[in-house]
Amino acid sequence: MYLQHFGLATAPFSLTPNTSFFFGLAPHVEALQVLHTALVGGEGFIKVTGEVGTGKTLICRKLLNDMAHQFACVYLPNPYLSPQELRWAVACELGFSYSAKVDQQQLIQLIHEKLLSLAEQGKRAVIVVDEAQALPDESLEALRLFTNLETETSKLLQVVLLGQPELDQRLAQDKFRQLRQRIGFSYQLRPLTEAEIHGYVEHRLKVAGWQGGAVFEKGQIRQLYKASRGIPRLVNLLCHKGLLLAYGAGVRRVSAKQLKAAIADTEDANSPMSLRAPVLGLTLGLAAAVLWYWLQGSAL
Ligand SMILES: Nc1ncnc2c1ncn2[C@@H]1O[C@H](COP(=O)(O)OP(=O)(O)OP(=O)(O)O)[C@@H](O)[C@H]1O
Ligand SMILES: [Mg+2]
């Protein structure tokens, strides 16, 4: 809607974890470094945790892009899988096609043989599990057993777990102590600082094609920081709404008032209670946006 108004080629604050928007923020760069080092070092389990919206899926995609030439990657974006489903998902990603005739024991044998032949070609396999907090207990155990597949000298299969903090709570249970001991490396994503949000917002606008000056001035970056608590997904949501309101007002800079309205309109953003009730700001802003759009059209 506002792309033309700001001279943008693409939406700058989409919620999709698109790697072409990746910005090398310290937490994400460090997480990727830990993952690279641990994978190359042959660690069995590596874990990355972070609050909702902090960038885990983006890291996952970046890792898969970066490591594809070096490892046979098995990506499990949906971990609501029973142990049997999990084994089949791994087998299918490794190139087998499903057959009801193969029982679980044979399947494990087939996977083992495939991993050995990959190892002969100098490739190790990595299972990357996103949303790992949702893995059923038995499937976590099935993953652990997978990492028992090894040659005399090295593991045939490594596992990367990415999940929300609930994953740590689950792994803290006594029944997971064996798995816990195998997690050689882990990393916890922290929220962004105010300065990081500044760089992040400017980077996304630039990638989207913005060529002007500051769309969000220092004061607005502070507002974004406070309201988002440093969570990138919330920053995206607030910036998107802010841009809509600026567009509605026919300006190319988001004002404090417009951002306040965007914050009040955003469920998970921190805003003073007094602002919560009248969520009119954004609604009025959007009405103005439509009017502006209509006036622009009739002026042509
Ligand atoms: N370093 C970064 N560079 C560019 N965009 C980022 C960065 N970090 C996070 N984002 C953006 O933040 C948004 C949320 O990221 P993502 O979906 O990866 O979060 P998540 O941790 O997987 O959330 P959830 O726990 O809900 O699955 C996405 O739009 C993503 O592109
Ligand atoms: Mg995610």
Side-chain angles (χ1 to χ4, degrees), residues 17 52-58 60 130-131 164 233:
V52 172
T54 45
K56 298 177 295 294
T57 300
L58 184 69
C60 197
D130 197 8
E131 307 260 11
Q164 289 161 10
R233 185 183 289 131

mmCIF file of all heavy atoms in Angstrom, residues 17 52-58 60 130-131 164 233, ligand 2:
data_model
loop_
_atom_site.group_PDB
_atom_site.id
_atom_site.type_symbol
_atom_site.label_atom_id
_atom_site.label_comp_id
_atom_site.label_asym_id
_atom_site.label_seq_id
_atom_site.Cartn_x
_atom_site.Cartn_y
_atom_site.Cartn_z
ATOM 1 N N PRO A 17 10.522 -14.682 7.875
ATOM 2 C CA PRO A 17 11.976 -14.684 8.084
ATOM 3 C C PRO A 17 12.735 -14.874 6.761
ATOM 4 O O PRO A 17 13.112 -15.979 6.405
ATOM 5 C CB PRO A 17 12.212 -15.867 9.040
ATOM 6 C CG PRO A 17 10.887 -16.463 9.343
ATOM 7 C CD PRO A 17 9.881 -15.898 8.405
ATOM 8 N N VAL A 52 9.945 -15.837 21.796
ATOM 9 C CA VAL A 52 9.126 -15.751 20.586
ATOM 10 C C VAL A 52 9.524 -14.495 19.796
ATOM 11 O O VAL A 52 9.661 -13.419 20.379
ATOM 12 C CB VAL A 52 7.636 -15.645 21.016
ATOM 13 C CG1 VAL A 52 6.741 -15.351 19.835
ATOM 14 C CG2 VAL A 52 7.203 -16.916 21.715
ATOM 15 N N GLY A 53 9.757 -14.662 18.508
ATOM 16 C CA GLY A 53 10.011 -13.509 17.637
ATOM 17 C C GLY A 53 11.421 -12.962 17.658
ATOM 18 O O GLY A 53 11.677 -11.877 17.127
ATOM 19 N N THR A 54 12.379 -13.686 18.252
ATOM 20 C CA THR A 54 13.739 -13.137 18.344
ATOM 21 C C THR A 54 14.626 -13.488 17.144
ATOM 22 O O THR A 54 15.765 -13.029 17.054
ATOM 23 C CB THR A 54 14.457 -13.584 19.648
ATOM 24 O OG1 THR A 54 14.224 -14.982 19.818
ATOM 25 C CG2 THR A 54 13.968 -12.827 20.853
ATOM 26 N N GLY A 55 14.132 -14.359 16.249
ATOM 27 C CA GLY A 55 14.909 -14.620 15.026
ATOM 28 C C GLY A 55 15.421 -16.052 14.866
ATOM 29 O O GLY A 55 16.331 -16.283 14.070
ATOM 30 N N LYS A 56 14.830 -17.010 15.564
ATOM 31 C CA LYS A 56 15.324 -18.399 15.493
ATOM 32 C C LYS A 56 15.130 -19.015 14.098
ATOM 33 O O LYS A 56 16.031 -19.633 13.551
ATOM 34 C CB LYS A 56 14.628 -19.270 16.549
ATOM 35 C CG LYS A 56 14.891 -18.814 17.974
ATOM 36 C CD LYS A 56 14.151 -19.637 18.972
ATOM 37 C CE LYS A 56 12.655 -19.519 18.888
ATOM 38 N NZ LYS A 56 12.112 -18.196 19.215
ATOM 39 N N THR A 57 13.943 -18.809 13.534
ATOM 40 C CA THR A 57 13.688 -19.408 12.217
ATOM 41 C C THR A 57 14.584 -18.767 11.157
ATOM 42 O O THR A 57 15.079 -19.437 10.256
ATOM 43 C CB THR A 57 12.188 -19.269 11.854
ATOM 44 O OG1 THR A 57 11.432 -19.946 12.860
ATOM 45 C CG2 THR A 57 11.877 -19.875 10.497
ATOM 46 N N LEU A 58 14.834 -17.480 11.308
ATOM 47 C CA LEU A 58 15.732 -16.809 10.362
ATOM 48 C C LEU A 58 17.141 -17.422 10.456
ATOM 49 O O LEU A 58 17.775 -17.707 9.435
ATOM 50 C CB LEU A 58 15.779 -15.306 10.657
ATOM 51 C CG LEU A 58 16.606 -14.494 9.667
ATOM 52 C CD1 LEU A 58 15.918 -14.443 8.305
ATOM 53 C CD2 LEU A 58 16.842 -13.077 10.164
ATOM 54 N N CYS A 60 17.864 -20.358 11.472
ATOM 55 C CA CYS A 60 17.741 -21.712 10.927
ATOM 56 C C CYS A 60 17.897 -21.687 9.405
ATOM 57 O O CYS A 60 18.674 -22.454 8.830
ATOM 58 C CB CYS A 60 16.324 -22.126 11.295
ATOM 59 S SG CYS A 60 15.935 -23.796 11.231
ATOM 60 N N ASP A 130 13.405 -26.895 13.973
ATOM 61 C CA ASP A 130 12.883 -25.593 14.427
ATOM 62 C C ASP A 130 11.688 -25.872 15.350
ATOM 63 O O ASP A 130 11.093 -26.948 15.270
ATOM 64 C CB ASP A 130 12.449 -24.758 13.205
ATOM 65 C CG ASP A 130 12.295 -23.280 13.542
ATOM 66 O OD1 ASP A 130 12.672 -22.875 14.663
ATOM 67 O OD2 ASP A 130 11.798 -22.523 12.684
ATOM 68 N N GLU A 131 11.351 -24.931 16.207
ATOM 69 C CA GLU A 131 10.239 -25.100 17.154
ATOM 70 C C GLU A 131 10.435 -26.365 17.988
ATOM 71 O O GLU A 131 9.474 -27.110 18.246
ATOM 72 C CB GLU A 131 8.898 -25.208 16.400
ATOM 73 C CG GLU A 131 8.635 -24.083 15.424
ATOM 74 C CD GLU A 131 7.699 -23.016 15.966
ATOM 75 O OE1 GLU A 131 7.395 -23.025 17.175
ATOM 76 O OE2 GLU A 131 7.290 -22.166 15.159
ATOM 77 N N GLN A 164 11.899 -22.186 21.751
ATOM 78 C CA GLN A 164 11.562 -21.145 22.722
ATOM 79 C C GLN A 164 12.069 -21.570 24.108
ATOM 80 O O GLN A 164 12.427 -22.738 24.287
ATOM 81 C CB GLN A 164 10.046 -20.934 22.697
ATOM 82 C CG GLN A 164 9.622 -20.257 21.406
ATOM 83 C CD GLN A 164 8.142 -20.420 21.081
ATOM 84 O OE1 GLN A 164 7.360 -20.882 21.899
ATOM 85 N NE2 GLN A 164 7.771 -20.034 19.866
ATOM 86 N N ARG A 233 10.423 -9.198 15.856
ATOM 87 C CA ARG A 233 9.110 -9.313 15.185
ATOM 88 C C ARG A 233 8.188 -8.153 15.570
ATOM 89 O O ARG A 233 7.461 -7.623 14.737
ATOM 90 C CB ARG A 233 8.439 -10.648 15.501
ATOM 91 C CG ARG A 233 7.130 -10.808 14.699
ATOM 92 C CD ARG A 233 6.385 -12.074 15.015
ATOM 93 N NE ARG A 233 7.063 -13.236 14.494
ATOM 94 C CZ ARG A 233 7.298 -14.327 15.222
ATOM 95 N NH1 ARG A 233 6.905 -14.392 16.463
ATOM 96 N NH2 ARG A 233 7.924 -15.343 14.680
HETATM 97 MG MG MG B 2 10.195 -19.473 14.366
#
